[in-house]
Amino acid sequence: QVYMMGEVAKLLGDSTGVLELVAFIEDEFGVVFADADIVPANLDTIERIAAFVVERTTETTQRKSA
């Protein structure tokens, strides 16, 4: 079960909306979410979503460079 609070949760409405958002982010940015990543700390505001995507894409880029 996914619990979200904040501006994004209000827009999405329910856990199905959250899963659709996660699928979109994974497809659009090549980011992979573990179940433990689907938490308010990563998804409850646009700023947190952006920070999560930047962090994950940076990690992927660094691994490819190594």
Side-chain angles (χ1 to χ4, degrees):
Q1 189 170 11
V2 177
Y3 296 97
M4 288 187 57
M5 298 170 19
E7 65 188 60
V8 173
K10 291 176 191 173
L11 295 171
L12 297 174
D14 62 14
S15 59
T16 301
V18 173
L19 295 177
E20 289 176 3
L21 173 64
V22 167
F24 170 80
I25 294 168
E26 288 180 331
D27 291 344
E28 190 69 22
F29 299 103
V31 172
V32 177
F33 280 81
D35 289 344
D37 295 328
I38 305 173
V39 295
N42 294 329
L43 297 170
D44 71 348
T45 65
I46 300 300
E47 292 80 10
R48 288 183 178 194
I49 293 169
F52 180 81
V53 169
V54 167
E55 178 184 320
R56 288 299 168 95
T57 55
T58 301
E59 289 173 0
T60 301
T61 302
Q62 289 175 347
R63 274 189 242 136
K64 288 181 180 178
S65 298

Short mmCIF file of all heavy atoms in Angstrom, two decimals:
data_model
loop_
_atom_site.label_atom_id
_atom_site.label_comp_id
_atom_site.label_asym_id
_atom_site.label_seq_id
_atom_site.Cartn_x
_atom_site.Cartn_y
_atom_site.Cartn_z
N GLN A 1 0.85 -1.18 0.00
CA GLN A 1 0.00 0.00 0.00
C GLN A 1 0.89 1.24 0.00
O GLN A 1 1.92 1.27 0.65
CB GLN A 1 -0.88 -0.02 1.24
CG GLN A 1 -1.93 1.04 1.22
CD GLN A 1 -2.94 0.82 2.34
OE1 GLN A 1 -2.74 0.02 3.22
NE2 GLN A 1 -4.00 1.56 2.27
N VAL A 2 0.49 2.24 -0.74
CA VAL A 2 1.27 3.45 -0.90
C VAL A 2 0.58 4.57 -0.14
O VAL A 2 -0.61 4.79 -0.29
CB VAL A 2 1.40 3.84 -2.38
CG1 VAL A 2 2.15 5.14 -2.52
CG2 VAL A 2 2.09 2.74 -3.16
N TYR A 3 1.33 5.28 0.69
CA TYR A 3 0.80 6.41 1.42
C TYR A 3 1.48 7.67 0.93
O TYR A 3 2.70 7.72 0.87
CB TYR A 3 1.06 6.27 2.92
CG TYR A 3 0.36 5.09 3.52
CD1 TYR A 3 1.03 3.89 3.70
CD2 TYR A 3 -0.97 5.17 3.89
CE1 TYR A 3 0.39 2.79 4.24
CE2 TYR A 3 -1.62 4.08 4.43
CZ TYR A 3 -0.94 2.89 4.60
OH TYR A 3 -1.57 1.82 5.13
N MET A 4 0.70 8.65 0.54
CA MET A 4 1.27 9.91 0.09
C MET A 4 0.50 11.08 0.66
O MET A 4 -0.71 11.02 0.81
CB MET A 4 1.24 10.02 -1.44
CG MET A 4 2.24 9.11 -2.09
SD MET A 4 2.35 9.36 -3.85
CE MET A 4 2.75 11.08 -3.95
N MET A 5 1.20 12.12 0.97
CA MET A 5 0.59 13.37 1.39
C MET A 5 1.26 14.47 0.59
O MET A 5 2.35 14.30 0.09
CB MET A 5 0.82 13.59 2.89
CG MET A 5 0.19 12.51 3.74
SD MET A 5 0.62 12.48 5.48
CE MET A 5 1.25 14.04 5.87
N GLY A 6 0.62 15.60 0.47
CA GLY A 6 1.24 16.71 -0.24
C GLY A 6 0.56 17.00 -1.55
O GLY A 6 -0.45 16.40 -1.90
N GLU A 7 1.13 17.94 -2.28
CA GLU A 7 0.50 18.44 -3.49
C GLU A 7 0.34 17.39 -4.57
O GLU A 7 -0.67 17.35 -5.27
CB GLU A 7 1.26 19.64 -4.03
CG GLU A 7 2.68 19.32 -4.48
CD GLU A 7 3.49 20.54 -4.82
OE1 GLU A 7 3.67 21.39 -3.93
OE2 GLU A 7 3.93 20.63 -5.97
N VAL A 8 1.30 16.51 -4.73
CA VAL A 8 1.21 15.49 -5.77
C VAL A 8 0.10 14.49 -5.44
O VAL A 8 -0.67 14.10 -6.32
CB VAL A 8 2.56 14.79 -5.98
CG1 VAL A 8 2.44 13.62 -6.95
CG2 VAL A 8 3.60 15.79 -6.48
N ALA A 9 -0.01 14.09 -4.20
CA ALA A 9 -1.05 13.15 -3.80
C ALA A 9 -2.43 13.71 -4.08
O ALA A 9 -3.32 12.99 -4.52
CB ALA A 9 -0.91 12.82 -2.32
N LYS A 10 -2.61 14.98 -3.86
CA LYS A 10 -3.91 15.61 -4.15
C LYS A 10 -4.24 15.52 -5.63
O LYS A 10 -5.39 15.31 -6.01
CB LYS A 10 -3.90 17.07 -3.70
CG LYS A 10 -3.87 17.23 -2.21
CD LYS A 10 -3.78 18.70 -1.84
CE LYS A 10 -3.48 18.86 -0.36
NZ LYS A 10 -3.22 20.26 -0.01
N LEU A 11 -3.24 15.66 -6.48
CA LEU A 11 -3.45 15.58 -7.92
C LEU A 11 -3.73 14.14 -8.38
O LEU A 11 -4.53 13.91 -9.28
CB LEU A 11 -2.25 16.12 -8.67
CG LEU A 11 -1.95 17.60 -8.51
CD1 LEU A 11 -0.61 17.94 -9.14
CD2 LEU A 11 -3.06 18.44 -9.13
N LEU A 12 -3.04 13.19 -7.77
CA LEU A 12 -3.15 11.80 -8.21
C LEU A 12 -4.38 11.10 -7.66
O LEU A 12 -4.92 10.21 -8.31
CB LEU A 12 -1.89 11.03 -7.82
CG LEU A 12 -0.61 11.53 -8.47
CD1 LEU A 12 0.58 10.79 -7.91
CD2 LEU A 12 -0.67 11.40 -9.97
N GLY A 13 -4.78 11.44 -6.46
CA GLY A 13 -6.00 10.91 -5.90
C GLY A 13 -5.91 9.59 -5.18
O GLY A 13 -6.52 9.43 -4.13
N ASP A 14 -5.19 8.61 -5.69
CA ASP A 14 -5.15 7.30 -5.04
C ASP A 14 -3.86 6.56 -5.40
O ASP A 14 -3.03 7.06 -6.16
CB ASP A 14 -6.37 6.47 -5.41
CG ASP A 14 -6.47 6.18 -6.91
OD1 ASP A 14 -5.48 6.39 -7.63
OD2 ASP A 14 -7.55 5.75 -7.35
N SER A 15 -3.73 5.35 -4.86
CA SER A 15 -2.49 4.60 -5.08
C SER A 15 -2.32 4.19 -6.54
O SER A 15 -1.19 4.04 -7.01
CB SER A 15 -2.44 3.37 -4.18
OG SER A 15 -3.54 2.52 -4.42
N THR A 16 -3.41 4.03 -7.28
CA THR A 16 -3.29 3.72 -8.71
C THR A 16 -2.64 4.88 -9.44
O THR A 16 -1.77 4.68 -10.31
CB THR A 16 -4.67 3.41 -9.32
OG1 THR A 16 -5.24 2.31 -8.62
CG2 THR A 16 -4.56 3.09 -10.80
N GLY A 17 -3.00 6.09 -9.07
CA GLY A 17 -2.38 7.27 -9.65
C GLY A 17 -0.90 7.34 -9.35
O GLY A 17 -0.10 7.73 -10.20
N VAL A 18 -0.54 6.96 -8.14
CA VAL A 18 0.87 6.94 -7.74
C VAL A 18 1.64 5.94 -8.61
O VAL A 18 2.72 6.25 -9.12
CB VAL A 18 1.03 6.59 -6.25
CG1 VAL A 18 2.49 6.40 -5.89
CG2 VAL A 18 0.40 7.66 -5.38
N LEU A 19 1.08 4.77 -8.79
CA LEU A 19 1.75 3.76 -9.61
C LEU A 19 1.86 4.21 -11.06
O LEU A 19 2.86 3.92 -11.73
CB LEU A 19 1.02 2.43 -9.50
CG LEU A 19 1.06 1.81 -8.10
CD1 LEU A 19 0.24 0.52 -8.07
CD2 LEU A 19 2.48 1.56 -7.63
N GLU A 20 0.86 4.92 -11.56
CA GLU A 20 0.95 5.46 -12.91
C GLU A 20 2.06 6.50 -13.01
O GLU A 20 2.79 6.55 -14.01
CB GLU A 20 -0.39 6.07 -13.33
CG GLU A 20 -1.46 5.02 -13.57
CD GLU A 20 -2.82 5.62 -13.87
OE1 GLU A 20 -2.95 6.86 -13.95
OE2 GLU A 20 -3.77 4.83 -14.03
N LEU A 21 2.19 7.34 -11.98
CA LEU A 21 3.27 8.32 -11.95
C LEU A 21 4.63 7.62 -11.95
O LEU A 21 5.54 7.99 -12.69
CB LEU A 21 3.15 9.23 -10.74
CG LEU A 21 4.32 10.19 -10.51
CD1 LEU A 21 4.44 11.19 -11.66
CD2 LEU A 21 4.16 10.90 -9.17
N VAL A 22 4.77 6.60 -11.13
CA VAL A 22 6.03 5.85 -11.05
C VAL A 22 6.35 5.23 -12.41
O VAL A 22 7.50 5.32 -12.88
CB VAL A 22 5.96 4.78 -9.93
CG1 VAL A 22 7.11 3.79 -10.04
CG2 VAL A 22 5.94 5.45 -8.57
N ALA A 23 5.36 4.63 -13.05
CA ALA A 23 5.58 4.03 -14.37
C ALA A 23 6.00 5.08 -15.39
O ALA A 23 6.91 4.85 -16.19
CB ALA A 23 4.32 3.31 -14.84
N PHE A 24 5.38 6.25 -15.34
CA PHE A 24 5.75 7.33 -16.25
C PHE A 24 7.20 7.76 -16.04
O PHE A 24 7.97 7.90 -16.98
CB PHE A 24 4.81 8.53 -16.07
CG PHE A 24 5.27 9.75 -16.81
CD1 PHE A 24 5.04 9.87 -18.17
CD2 PHE A 24 5.97 10.76 -16.16
CE1 PHE A 24 5.49 10.98 -18.88
CE2 PHE A 24 6.41 11.88 -16.85
CZ PHE A 24 6.18 11.98 -18.21
N ILE A 25 7.58 7.97 -14.78
CA ILE A 25 8.95 8.40 -14.47
C ILE A 25 9.95 7.35 -14.94
O ILE A 25 10.99 7.68 -15.53
CB ILE A 25 9.10 8.69 -12.97
CG1 ILE A 25 8.24 9.91 -12.58
CG2 ILE A 25 10.57 8.92 -12.59
CD1 ILE A 25 8.11 10.11 -11.08
N GLU A 26 9.64 6.08 -14.69
CA GLU A 26 10.54 5.01 -15.12
C GLU A 26 10.70 5.01 -16.64
O GLU A 26 11.83 4.90 -17.15
CB GLU A 26 10.03 3.65 -14.63
CG GLU A 26 10.18 3.46 -13.15
CD GLU A 26 9.68 2.11 -12.67
OE1 GLU A 26 8.76 1.54 -13.29
OE2 GLU A 26 10.22 1.62 -11.66
N ASP A 27 9.60 5.14 -17.35
CA ASP A 27 9.65 5.13 -18.82
C ASP A 27 10.33 6.37 -19.38
O ASP A 27 11.14 6.30 -20.29
CB ASP A 27 8.24 5.02 -19.41
CG ASP A 27 7.60 3.68 -19.16
OD1 ASP A 27 8.31 2.72 -18.81
OD2 ASP A 27 6.36 3.59 -19.30
N GLU A 28 9.98 7.52 -18.84
CA GLU A 28 10.46 8.79 -19.38
C GLU A 28 11.94 9.04 -19.08
O GLU A 28 12.66 9.58 -19.91
CB GLU A 28 9.62 9.93 -18.80
CG GLU A 28 9.84 11.26 -19.44
CD GLU A 28 9.34 11.36 -20.88
OE1 GLU A 28 8.46 10.56 -21.28
OE2 GLU A 28 9.82 12.24 -21.61
N PHE A 29 12.39 8.66 -17.87
CA PHE A 29 13.74 9.01 -17.44
C PHE A 29 14.67 7.81 -17.26
O PHE A 29 15.83 7.98 -16.91
CB PHE A 29 13.68 9.81 -16.13
CG PHE A 29 12.92 11.09 -16.28
CD1 PHE A 29 11.62 11.20 -15.79
CD2 PHE A 29 13.47 12.20 -16.90
CE1 PHE A 29 10.89 12.38 -15.93
CE2 PHE A 29 12.77 13.37 -17.05
CZ PHE A 29 11.46 13.47 -16.56
N GLY A 30 14.16 6.61 -17.47
CA GLY A 30 15.00 5.43 -17.32
C GLY A 30 15.39 5.15 -15.88
O GLY A 30 16.39 4.50 -15.61
N VAL A 31 14.57 5.64 -14.96
CA VAL A 31 14.81 5.45 -13.53
C VAL A 31 14.05 4.21 -13.08
O VAL A 31 12.93 3.98 -13.52
CB VAL A 31 14.31 6.68 -12.74
CG1 VAL A 31 14.37 6.45 -11.25
CG2 VAL A 31 15.11 7.91 -13.13
N VAL A 32 14.66 3.40 -12.22
CA VAL A 32 13.99 2.22 -11.70
C VAL A 32 13.67 2.45 -10.22
O VAL A 32 14.55 2.80 -9.44
CB VAL A 32 14.86 0.96 -11.87
CG1 VAL A 32 14.20 -0.25 -11.25
CG2 VAL A 32 15.16 0.73 -13.34
N PHE A 33 12.40 2.27 -9.87
CA PHE A 33 11.97 2.40 -8.48
C PHE A 33 11.94 1.03 -7.83
O PHE A 33 11.35 0.09 -8.37
CB PHE A 33 10.53 2.95 -8.41
CG PHE A 33 10.41 4.43 -8.58
CD1 PHE A 33 10.43 5.01 -9.82
CD2 PHE A 33 10.23 5.24 -7.46
CE1 PHE A 33 10.29 6.37 -9.98
CE2 PHE A 33 10.10 6.60 -7.61
CZ PHE A 33 10.12 7.17 -8.86
N ALA A 34 12.54 0.90 -6.67
CA ALA A 34 12.32 -0.25 -5.81
C ALA A 34 11.06 0.07 -4.99
O ALA A 34 10.67 1.23 -4.87
CB ALA A 34 13.51 -0.45 -4.87
N ASP A 35 10.42 -0.94 -4.45
CA ASP A 35 9.24 -0.70 -3.62
C ASP A 35 9.53 0.30 -2.51
O ASP A 35 8.71 1.16 -2.20
CB ASP A 35 8.71 -2.00 -3.02
CG ASP A 35 8.07 -2.90 -4.06
OD1 ASP A 35 7.76 -2.42 -5.17
OD2 ASP A 35 7.88 -4.10 -3.77
N ALA A 36 10.71 0.21 -1.94
CA ALA A 36 11.09 1.10 -0.83
C ALA A 36 11.25 2.55 -1.27
O ALA A 36 11.27 3.46 -0.43
CB ALA A 36 12.39 0.61 -0.19
N ASP A 37 11.36 2.80 -2.58
CA ASP A 37 11.50 4.16 -3.10
C ASP A 37 10.16 4.89 -3.24
O ASP A 37 10.11 6.09 -3.42
CB ASP A 37 12.17 4.15 -4.47
CG ASP A 37 13.59 3.66 -4.43
OD1 ASP A 37 14.27 3.87 -3.41
OD2 ASP A 37 14.02 3.05 -5.43
N ILE A 38 9.07 4.14 -3.20
CA ILE A 38 7.74 4.72 -3.42
C ILE A 38 7.21 5.21 -2.08
O ILE A 38 6.34 4.60 -1.45
CB ILE A 38 6.80 3.71 -4.10
CG1 ILE A 38 7.44 3.21 -5.39
CG2 ILE A 38 5.44 4.36 -4.38
CD1 ILE A 38 6.68 2.10 -6.07
N VAL A 39 7.79 6.32 -1.63
CA VAL A 39 7.47 6.92 -0.33
C VAL A 39 7.34 8.43 -0.49
O VAL A 39 7.86 9.01 -1.44
CB VAL A 39 8.55 6.58 0.72
CG1 VAL A 39 8.60 5.09 1.01
CG2 VAL A 39 9.92 7.08 0.26
N PRO A 40 6.65 9.08 0.44
CA PRO A 40 6.50 10.54 0.36
C PRO A 40 7.83 11.29 0.25
O PRO A 40 7.89 12.31 -0.43
CB PRO A 40 5.77 10.88 1.66
CG PRO A 40 4.98 9.66 1.97
CD PRO A 40 5.87 8.52 1.54
N ALA A 41 8.86 10.79 0.88
CA ALA A 41 10.16 11.48 0.82
C ALA A 41 10.66 11.63 -0.62
O ALA A 41 11.43 12.53 -0.92
CB ALA A 41 11.20 10.72 1.65
N ASN A 42 10.20 10.78 -1.52
CA ASN A 42 10.60 10.86 -2.92
C ASN A 42 9.52 11.41 -3.85
O ASN A 42 9.84 11.85 -4.95
CB ASN A 42 11.00 9.47 -3.44
CG ASN A 42 12.23 8.94 -2.77
OD1 ASN A 42 13.11 9.69 -2.37
ND2 ASN A 42 12.30 7.64 -2.61
N LEU A 43 8.27 11.37 -3.42
CA LEU A 43 7.19 11.62 -4.37
C LEU A 43 6.13 12.64 -3.96
O LEU A 43 5.20 12.86 -4.71
CB LEU A 43 6.48 10.29 -4.68
CG LEU A 43 7.33 9.23 -5.36
CD1 LEU A 43 6.59 7.90 -5.38
CD2 LEU A 43 7.67 9.66 -6.77
N ASP A 44 6.23 13.25 -2.80
CA ASP A 44 5.09 14.07 -2.38
C ASP A 44 5.09 15.50 -2.90
O ASP A 44 4.08 16.19 -2.77
CB ASP A 44 4.85 14.01 -0.88
CG ASP A 44 5.88 14.72 -0.05
OD1 ASP A 44 6.93 15.08 -0.60
OD2 ASP A 44 5.64 14.91 1.14
N THR A 45 6.17 15.94 -3.52
CA THR A 45 6.17 17.26 -4.17
C THR A 45 6.93 17.14 -5.49
O THR A 45 7.73 16.21 -5.69
CB THR A 45 6.86 18.34 -3.31
OG1 THR A 45 8.25 18.02 -3.18
CG2 THR A 45 6.22 18.48 -1.93
N ILE A 46 6.69 18.08 -6.35
CA ILE A 46 7.41 18.11 -7.63
C ILE A 46 8.91 18.22 -7.39
O ILE A 46 9.71 17.56 -8.07
CB ILE A 46 6.91 19.29 -8.49
CG1 ILE A 46 5.41 19.16 -8.79
CG2 ILE A 46 7.73 19.41 -9.77
CD1 ILE A 46 5.01 17.91 -9.52
N GLU A 47 9.30 19.01 -6.41
CA GLU A 47 10.72 19.18 -6.10
C GLU A 47 11.37 17.87 -5.68
O GLU A 47 12.49 17.56 -6.08
CB GLU A 47 10.91 20.24 -5.02
CG GLU A 47 10.57 21.65 -5.45
CD GLU A 47 9.06 21.95 -5.44
OE1 GLU A 47 8.25 21.14 -4.90
OE2 GLU A 47 8.69 22.99 -5.98
N ARG A 48 10.66 17.09 -4.87
CA ARG A 48 11.21 15.81 -4.41
C ARG A 48 11.30 14.80 -5.55
O ARG A 48 12.24 14.02 -5.63
CB ARG A 48 10.39 15.26 -3.25
CG ARG A 48 10.62 16.04 -1.98
CD ARG A 48 9.86 15.45 -0.83
NE ARG A 48 10.14 16.21 0.39
CZ ARG A 48 9.84 15.79 1.59
NH1 ARG A 48 9.24 14.64 1.76
NH2 ARG A 48 10.13 16.53 2.63
N ILE A 49 10.31 14.81 -6.42
CA ILE A 49 10.36 13.93 -7.58
C ILE A 49 11.56 14.29 -8.45
O ILE A 49 12.33 13.41 -8.86
CB ILE A 49 9.06 14.02 -8.41
CG1 ILE A 49 7.88 13.46 -7.60
CG2 ILE A 49 9.21 13.29 -9.74
CD1 ILE A 49 6.53 13.75 -8.21
N ALA A 50 11.75 15.57 -8.71
CA ALA A 50 12.88 16.02 -9.53
C ALA A 50 14.20 15.63 -8.88
O ALA A 50 15.11 15.15 -9.57
CB ALA A 50 12.80 17.53 -9.74
N ALA A 51 14.32 15.82 -7.57
CA ALA A 51 15.56 15.47 -6.87
C ALA A 51 15.82 13.97 -6.96
O ALA A 51 16.97 13.55 -7.17
CB ALA A 51 15.48 15.92 -5.41
N PHE A 52 14.79 13.16 -6.82
CA PHE A 52 14.94 11.72 -6.92
C PHE A 52 15.42 11.32 -8.31
O PHE A 52 16.35 10.52 -8.45
CB PHE A 52 13.62 11.02 -6.58
CG PHE A 52 13.69 9.53 -6.66
CD1 PHE A 52 14.21 8.80 -5.61
CD2 PHE A 52 13.26 8.85 -7.79
CE1 PHE A 52 14.30 7.41 -5.68
CE2 PHE A 52 13.34 7.47 -7.86
CZ PHE A 52 13.85 6.75 -6.81
N VAL A 53 14.80 11.89 -9.34
CA VAL A 53 15.19 11.57 -10.71
C VAL A 53 16.63 12.00 -10.98
O VAL A 53 17.42 11.24 -11.56
CB VAL A 53 14.22 12.22 -11.72
CG1 VAL A 53 14.76 12.12 -13.15
CG2 VAL A 53 12.84 11.58 -11.63
N VAL A 54 17.00 13.19 -10.55
CA VAL A 54 18.38 13.66 -10.74
C VAL A 54 19.36 12.74 -10.01
O VAL A 54 20.39 12.35 -10.58
CB VAL A 54 18.53 15.13 -10.25
CG1 VAL A 54 20.00 15.52 -10.15
CG2 VAL A 54 17.78 16.06 -11.18
N GLU A 55 19.04 12.38 -8.79
CA GLU A 55 19.92 11.49 -8.02
C GLU A 55 20.11 10.16 -8.73
O GLU A 55 21.23 9.67 -8.89
CB GLU A 55 19.33 11.26 -6.63
CG GLU A 55 20.14 10.30 -5.78
CD GLU A 55 19.46 10.04 -4.45
OE1 GLU A 55 18.92 10.98 -3.85
OE2 GLU A 55 19.46 8.86 -4.02
N ARG A 56 19.02 9.57 -9.19
CA ARG A 56 19.10 8.26 -9.85
C ARG A 56 19.78 8.33 -11.21
O ARG A 56 20.54 7.44 -11.57
CB ARG A 56 17.71 7.65 -9.99
CG ARG A 56 17.14 7.17 -8.68
CD ARG A 56 18.07 6.07 -8.13
NE ARG A 56 17.76 5.74 -6.77
CZ ARG A 56 16.96 4.75 -6.39
NH1 ARG A 56 16.40 3.99 -7.30
NH2 ARG A 56 16.74 4.53 -5.12
N THR A 57 19.51 9.36 -11.97
CA THR A 57 20.16 9.45 -13.28
C THR A 57 21.65 9.75 -13.13
O THR A 57 22.46 9.28 -13.92
CB THR A 57 19.48 10.49 -14.18
OG1 THR A 57 19.42 11.75 -13.53
CG2 THR A 57 18.08 10.06 -14.57
N THR A 58 22.01 10.50 -12.10
CA THR A 58 23.42 10.77 -11.82
C THR A 58 24.13 9.49 -11.42
O THR A 58 25.23 9.21 -11.89
CB THR A 58 23.56 11.84 -10.71
OG1 THR A 58 22.92 13.03 -11.14
CG2 THR A 58 25.02 12.12 -10.41
N GLU A 59 23.49 8.68 -10.57
CA GLU A 59 24.08 7.39 -10.17
C GLU A 59 24.30 6.50 -11.38
O GLU A 59 25.35 5.87 -11.52
CB GLU A 59 23.16 6.67 -9.18
CG GLU A 59 23.11 7.30 -7.81
CD GLU A 59 22.06 6.64 -6.92
OE1 GLU A 59 21.37 5.69 -7.37
OE2 GLU A 59 21.92 7.09 -5.77
N THR A 60 23.33 6.45 -12.28
CA THR A 60 23.43 5.62 -13.47
C THR A 60 24.56 6.10 -14.37
O THR A 60 25.35 5.30 -14.87
CB THR A 60 22.10 5.64 -14.24
OG1 THR A 60 21.07 5.16 -13.38
CG2 THR A 60 22.17 4.77 -15.48
N THR A 61 24.68 7.41 -14.54
CA THR A 61 25.73 7.98 -15.37
C THR A 61 27.11 7.68 -14.78
O THR A 61 28.04 7.33 -15.50
CB THR A 61 25.54 9.50 -15.51
OG1 THR A 61 24.25 9.74 -16.08
CG2 THR A 61 26.60 10.12 -16.39
N GLN A 62 27.23 7.80 -13.47
CA GLN A 62 28.51 7.53 -12.82
C GLN A 62 28.90 6.06 -12.94
O GLN A 62 30.07 5.74 -13.13
CB GLN A 62 28.46 7.95 -11.34
CG GLN A 62 28.42 9.44 -11.16
CD GLN A 62 28.24 9.87 -9.71
OE1 GLN A 62 27.89 9.07 -8.85
NE2 GLN A 62 28.45 11.14 -9.44
N ARG A 63 27.93 5.16 -12.83
CA ARG A 63 28.23 3.74 -12.98
C ARG A 63 28.69 3.42 -14.39
O ARG A 63 29.58 2.60 -14.58
CB ARG A 63 26.99 2.90 -12.63
CG ARG A 63 26.90 2.63 -11.16
CD ARG A 63 25.81 1.61 -10.87
NE ARG A 63 24.84 2.32 -10.05
CZ ARG A 63 23.55 2.28 -10.19
NH1 ARG A 63 23.00 1.55 -11.12
NH2 ARG A 63 22.75 2.95 -9.40
N LYS A 64 28.08 4.06 -15.38
CA LYS A 64 28.47 3.81 -16.78
C LYS A 64 29.86 4.35 -17.07
O LYS A 64 30.58 3.82 -17.90
CB LYS A 64 27.45 4.44 -17.73
CG LYS A 64 26.14 3.71 -17.76
CD LYS A 64 25.17 4.35 -18.72
CE LYS A 64 23.85 3.61 -18.75
NZ LYS A 64 22.87 4.25 -19.64
N SER A 65 30.26 5.43 -16.37
CA SER A 65 31.57 6.03 -16.58
C SER A 65 32.68 5.25 -15.92
O SER A 65 33.84 5.36 -16.31
CB SER A 65 31.58 7.46 -16.03
OG SER A 65 30.65 8.25 -16.72
N ALA A 66 32.35 4.48 -14.91
CA ALA A 66 33.37 3.75 -14.15
C ALA A 66 33.88 2.54 -14.86
O ALA A 66 33.43 2.00 -15.75
CB ALA A 66 32.79 3.33 -12.79
#
